[in-house]
Amino acid sequence: FFFTFIITSLFLFTQSGSAIPLNGTYTIGTGGNYLTISSAVNDLVSLGVSGAVIFNIKTGSYDESVTINPIPGASSINNITFQSQTLNANDVNWYSSNTASSFTLKINGADFLTIKFISFPDNNSSVAMRSRILFSGSNDDIKILNNIFSGGITNDYGLLSSNALMNNLIIDRNSIDIKFGIYFPEQTLISRNTQITNNNLSCNNVIEIYRHEDMLIAGNSLNCTSLFGASPSPSCIRALNCNGNLRILKNKLISVSVNSAADGITVGGYEGLSALIANNFVSLRTGTGIWISDATNVNVYFNTVRTADQSSGDITFVSCTGINSKNNIMVNLGNFGSASLTYYLIESTFNSSDYNNFYYINQYILYHSVYGYLQNLAQYRTISGMDIHSIERAVSFASNTDLHLNGSSVGDAGLVGIPIPGITDDIDGQPRNPLHPYMGADESDIPLPVELISFTSTVNNSDVILNWTTSSEINNSGFEIDRSFVNGDWSMISFIKGHGNSNTPNDYSFTDTRLITGKYNYRLKQIDLNGNFKYFYLGNEVNIGVPQKFELSQNYPNPFNPKTIINYDLPIGNFVSLKIFDDQGKEVATLVNGNQNAGNYKVEFNGENFSSGIYYYKLETENLSEVRKMILLK
């Protein structure tokens, strides 16, 4: 520890003793630049930064309650990142057992800060209240990415704010399994441009936010549970007094196991020019699917809402004006009289309500504050003049937790709605039919054309061989092959042409060659000739391990013009030199010259500025050397 302190000090002070701002990459943990996260943060806020700074946290557990105050020098260029060194959130467990502290990490007026690939568990059930990350003060451009939040104490929070003002906050691709997921309850301060996207949340109260303008909540999977007690009543998304360009899009909200009132999407007090709630799945046992109250100019389009018990309603409007409600599928499977309805319309006026589907088995379809309980759609049309093109139609879903259309509802022309400008795709990103889009969040103009029997992988050294088989194909253009690092972004690596129409099994294979060491996911994007598509995911992770021996491969292609690829394997970390020589033995290029970890490597050589002829490439490590010949042919 003393040696680590000396080394760190050398980085931070000149010979005259003046402080030097941080710049570059540092490690935290035993043997790193900093032993603890706290010591790194102390230098960060006292010395500031003169460039981008990354703190790589070594694998292990860190019992620390840490506050990050304003960071001198932080900017969009001089940004600061705390992350797991392995970029695997399971490798770093950051928690606090300090009973005097109500948080693990407090971000208090810091800007341009990223926290990613870290696990925030709970290790002290005796604390009355604990938040994993607590926001206070004014914080700009904070990113919370790819983290894991877990815990189970009575008053437990994943992300909490207290007198916090936040601008450009991004919360993306996190896993949150905790009683209160994201709770920002500010009553006076107004934050802006918050984005909550692509997260998996399993909580009692999932997302509850006050006074965030221009907010986006999109692509999240939310499971509202009562794992940590039934009080207060669960809610999936609650946005109160959130004005500006409010968008709640493409979320999947499930609360089928809660036996008390559980709300799906709640928007209250909206006073902006236009809020959009679109392309969401909401499946509840009881409670209200979408609840809009004391609001104006809210657009509710293309949502699929399913409720199934008493004290349930699919969509409710209370004290609203200027509302538009179109292309929604509302299914209420409760049969409890006034306690299970599709629509509740209470002291609200509409610009439009039309092209909706109502399915119910109850004696009433809806409640209207002027006309009372109404028994069917025809009665509602007559007295309100609304929903002239709406229908009453049974809908088949994949399951009660998966509201994709299924069975006879796939390709059912009776579920066709009306185009809405600006909404061009569905919950899965599938293009909407520009003239005849489907009601609900799932677009389904024709059945997807391929039945997949199997999708498997085999590892051969640093190559991954993918095999899949179809039982039949209709209108099949082919398969886009996508790859990602585990917890990383997807990228397309190839396309395999399909067989069009076929009633017999077809086998496909693709080899992904020369991968670097790491863990990968694969998926197939099957595309038909009309542009419809569906994803098929490989059921397992693929692990490319460390090579067993040193090897330099023949370049490919060879001969080449003007580019070629050189592959080599390192069984252990080493100093590596890869150089190019002409046929006279003169060195003409250096491709690699430095330390490299064990793994598989791929290097490109560009001979654009070289003349045709024979060249040699030489790979050297501390213990081994190998030379191969290649031909540049222009």
Side-chain angles (χ1 to χ4, degrees):
F1 173 77
F2 177 74
F3 177 74
T4 301
F5 173 78
I6 293 296
I7 294 298
T8 303
S9 298
L10 290 176
F11 284 124
L12 304 182
F13 292 91
T14 64
Q15 291 180 352
S16 62
S18 61
I20 300 176
L22 301 183
N23 186 354
T25 301
Y26 304 84
T27 56
I28 298 173
T30 303
N33 302 108
Y34 295 95
L35 182 61
T36 64
I37 300 171
S38 300
S39 60
V41 169
N42 289 340
D43 274 354
L44 179 66
V45 299
S46 62
L47 300 177
V49 297
S50 60
V53 172
I54 297 175
F55 292 102
N56 285 321
I57 306 176
K58 296 180 131 187
T59 297
S61 296
Y62 297 80
D63 184 356
E64 304 182 53
S65 179
V66 176
T67 299
I68 303 179
N69 291 312
I71 304 166
S75 68
S76 59
I77 298 175
N78 299 346
N79 49 71
I80 301 97
T81 300
F82 286 83
Q83 64 183 18
S84 165
Q85 187 176 40
T86 63
L87 301 184
N88 185 340
N90 291 303
D91 289 342
V92 172
N93 291 302
W94 182 359
Y95 62 94
S96 173
S97 62
N98 181 4
T99 57
S101 174
S102 61
F103 58 83
T104 299
L105 169 62
K106 182 178 182 180
I107 300 176
N108 182 42
D111 299 329
F112 302 100
L113 176 66
T114 297
I115 308 295
K116 64 180 184 178
F117 295 112
I118 296 172
S119 287
F120 291 89
D122 173 62
N123 283 48
N124 188 0
S125 59
S126 65
V127 179
M129 190 276 284
R130 168 67 50 76
S131 58
R132 303 298 175 270
I133 296 181
L134 174 66
F135 296 95
S136 64
S138 178
N139 306 280
D140 291 344
D141 297 272
I142 304 297
K143 296 179 181 179
I144 309 297
L145 311 175
N146 298 99
N147 302 288
I148 299 173
F149 299 86
S150 61
I153 66 175
T154 302
N155 204 11
D156 223 8
Y157 295 84
L159 303 169
L160 175 67
S161 67
S162 176
N163 296 316
L165 180 64
M166 293 175 280
N167 294 307
N168 307 318
L169 170 65
I170 297 176
I171 303 170
D172 184 64
R173 288 172 291 173
N174 300 280
S175 173
I176 304 177
D177 187 357
I178 209 165
K179 183 171 183 180
F180 298 92
I182 300 172
Y183 184 46
F184 298 156
E186 266 61 49
Q187 297 298 314
T188 57
L189 297 172
I190 299 176
S191 297
R192 289 179 170 83
N193 299 321
T194 297
Q195 297 182 30
I196 303 174
T197 54
N198 306 309
N199 301 282
N200 290 312
L201 304 101
S202 182
C203 312
N204 186 256
N205 281 267
V206 187
I207 298 174
E208 184 166 339
I209 297 181
Y210 296 66
R211 300 187 184 279
H212 280 236
E213 293 197 349
D214 302 326
M215 180 168 62
L216 171 66
I217 302 177
N220 302 286
S221 178
L222 306 99
N223 185 17
C224 193
T225 70
S226 57
L227 293 176
F228 310 123
S231 180
S233 296
S235 62
C236 288
I237 295 175
R238 185 170 287 156
L240 303 180
N241 301 111
C242 295
N243 293 311
N245 186 21
L246 173 64
R247 292 153 295 157
I248 302 176
L249 313 173
K250 299 182 180 180
N251 301 284
K252 298 177 181 178
L253 301 92
I254 306 298
S255 182
V256 297
S257 62
V258 179
N259 196 27
S260 58
D263 297 326
I265 298 172
T266 299
V267 172
Y270 180 81
E271 298 175 346
L273 296 177
S274 180
L276 178 61
I277 302 171
N279 281 331
N280 298 284
F281 282 163
V282 183
S283 183
L284 310 179
R285 178 175 178 177
T286 185
T288 302
I290 298 176
W291 177 294
I292 314 296
S293 63
D294 301 298
T296 184
N297 302 326
V298 177
N299 301 308
V300 182
Y301 297 144
F302 288 110
N303 299 284
T304 301
V305 182
R306 175 191 180 275
T307 55
D309 212 328
Q310 59 182 326
S311 300
S312 65
D314 287 64
I315 300 179
T316 296
F317 298 95
V318 180
S319 301
C320 294
T321 60
I323 302 300
N324 295 292
S325 175
K326 291 183 179 180
N327 292 329
N328 300 291
I329 291 178
M330 291 172 275
V331 172
N332 193 309
L333 302 178
N335 189 14
F336 299 93
S338 61
S340 51
L341 304 175
T342 55
Y343 246 0
Y344 283 88
L345 309 176
I346 303 172
E347 297 178 354
S348 296
T349 58
F350 289 79
N351 288 333
S352 63
S353 177
D354 205 359
Y355 290 94
N356 298 298
N357 179 56
F358 300 85
Y359 180 71
Y360 55 100
I361 59 176
N362 193 27
Q363 59 182 310
Y364 301 119
I365 181 175
L366 58 83
Y367 173 81
H368 193 287
S369 57
V370 176
Y371 306 109
Y373 293 98
L374 304 181
Q375 293 182 321
N376 53 56
L377 183 58
Q379 186 181 19
Y380 171 54
R381 283 178 181 149
T382 299
I383 63 176
S384 71
M386 293 288 177
D387 285 280
I388 300 302
H389 301 94
S390 294
I391 59 174
E392 297 168 299
R393 198 174 191 86
V395 182
S396 178
F397 299 125
S399 72
N400 64 351
T401 59
D402 181 356
L403 300 187
H404 286 92
L405 297 177
N406 190 37
S408 61
S409 294
V410 177
D412 182 356
L415 294 174
V416 170
I418 188 171
I420 302 291
I423 302 180
T424 59
D425 61 1
D426 72 351
I427 191 170
D428 303 309
Q430 179 182 348
R432 291 276 183 188
N433 187 302
L435 299 177
H436 308 290
Y438 265 59
M439 299 174 183
D442 180 27
E443 182 71 12
S444 182
D445 54 353
I446 61 171
L448 287 165
V450 169
E451 291 292 332
L452 202 69
I453 297 175
S454 65
F455 181 24
T456 61
S457 66
T458 304
V459 176
N460 182 18
N461 295 323
S462 62
D463 296 344
V464 176
I465 303 167
L466 301 175
N467 293 287
W468 64 99
T469 301
T470 63
S471 60
S472 62
E473 298 181 23
I474 302 173
N475 212 28
N476 183 21
S477 173
F479 301 89
E480 176 183 303
I481 302 170
D482 298 336
R483 178 187 68 210
S484 74
F485 282 105
V486 172
N487 296 321
D489 295 326
W490 291 101
S491 60
M492 176 182 172
I493 58 174
S494 189
F495 181 83
I496 301 296
K497 187 177 180 181
H499 284 80
N501 297 296
S502 174
N503 293 320
T504 60
N506 290 293
D507 297 320
Y508 295 86
S509 183
F510 172 78
T511 300
D512 195 9
T513 61
R514 299 296 304 177
L515 294 170
I516 64 173
T517 300
K519 294 181 179 180
Y520 298 86
N521 287 325
Y522 288 88
R523 70 183 182 187
L524 302 174
K525 181 180 180 181
Q526 184 277 314
I527 306 171
D528 72 16
L529 295 174
N530 296 323
N532 301 307
F533 63 87
K534 181 178 181 179
Y535 288 110
F536 298 93
Y537 290 83
L538 187 66
N540 57 278
E541 295 178 357
V542 176
N543 187 12
I544 301 297
V546 174
Q548 298 300 308
K549 64 179 181 177
F550 174 89
E551 183 175 352
L552 176 64
S553 300
Q554 184 64 51
N555 65 300
Y556 181 82
N558 190 39
F560 64 96
N561 178 28
K563 296 180 180 180
T564 189
I565 298 295
I566 299 171
N567 296 307
Y568 58 94
D569 299 335
L570 299 177
I572 60 173
N574 225 309
F575 183 87
V576 177
S577 169
L578 179 60
K579 297 182 178 182
I580 308 297
F581 298 86
D582 63 18
D583 60 352
Q584 302 299 314
K586 179 182 177 182
E587 180 184 327
V588 295
T590 298
L591 304 183
V592 178
N593 191 49
N595 290 313
Q596 291 186 325
N597 295 326
N600 308 294
Y601 291 87
K602 180 186 297 184
V603 179
E604 180 183 272
F605 172 62
N606 190 342
E608 183 177 4
N609 297 323
F610 295 86
S611 59
S612 296
I614 296 174
Y615 293 84
Y616 298 87
Y617 53 99
K618 182 179 182 180
L619 181 68
E620 285 188 297
T621 68
E622 293 176 352
N623 302 314
L624 296 167
S625 175
E626 191 169 350
V627 177
R628 287 185 179 269
K629 181 173 71 173
M630 60 183 178
I631 300 173
L632 174 59
L633 188 61
K634 294 187 175 182

